[in-house]
Amino acid sequence: TGMDELREKTSDGLEIVGRIVRNTDQELIVREGVYKGIPIVDLRWYVNDKPSIKGVRVNKEEMKVLVGILMKVENDESE
């Protein structure tokens, strides 16, 4: 996988902050912005440059909890 730090706006006003390329057809795109007045982060799989229903959108407070959980998983695996 690879990461690309290009920041670009999407048609819904969110900004792409990172990408993880899985293969030539699929990538996970991480976007952030404001949705209905709430600061959010959206992680979504794209297939052939089109968003799939596979993904999650969380507000920034939920994101902090999610990051903590993911860090715990990573630390548990490295022990």
Side-chain angles (χ1 to χ4, degrees), residues 2-36:
M3 289 181 59
D4 184 1
E5 292 298 324
L6 291 178
R7 292 179 80 91
E8 60 187 83
K9 292 258 185 194
T10 55
S11 62
D12 58 3
L14 299 180
E15 185 175 28
I16 295 174
V17 296
R19 300 169 187 262
I20 301 173
V21 177
R22 178 176 275 176
N23 56 43
T24 58
D25 298 328
Q26 298 178 343
E27 66 180 336
L28 181 70
I29 296 182
V30 180
R31 304 180 306 150
E32 71 173 337
V34 177
Y35 180 74
K36 296 187 177 184

Side-chain angles (χ1 to χ4, degrees), residues 10-75:
T10 55
S11 62
D12 58 3
L14 299 180
E15 185 175 28
I16 295 174
V17 296
R19 300 169 187 262
I20 301 173
V21 177
R22 178 176 275 176
N23 56 43
T24 58
D25 298 328
Q26 298 178 343
E27 66 180 336
L28 181 70
I29 296 182
V30 180
R31 304 180 306 150
E32 71 173 337
V34 177
Y35 180 74
K36 296 187 177 184
I38 301 169
I40 59 98
V41 174
D42 184 89
L43 296 92
R44 190 149 315 276
W45 283 103
Y46 280 66
V47 179
N48 297 317
D49 298 322
K50 294 187 176 113
S52 74
I53 61 170
K54 294 179 182 178
V56 63
R57 177 175 285 178
V58 295
N59 66 43
K60 293 278 181 109
E61 291 302 311
E62 294 166 334
M63 181 198 68
K64 292 174 187 175
V65 175
L66 177 61
V67 168
I69 293 167
L70 294 173
M71 290 176 68
K72 182 180 183 320
V73 169
E74 181 183 29
N75 290 336

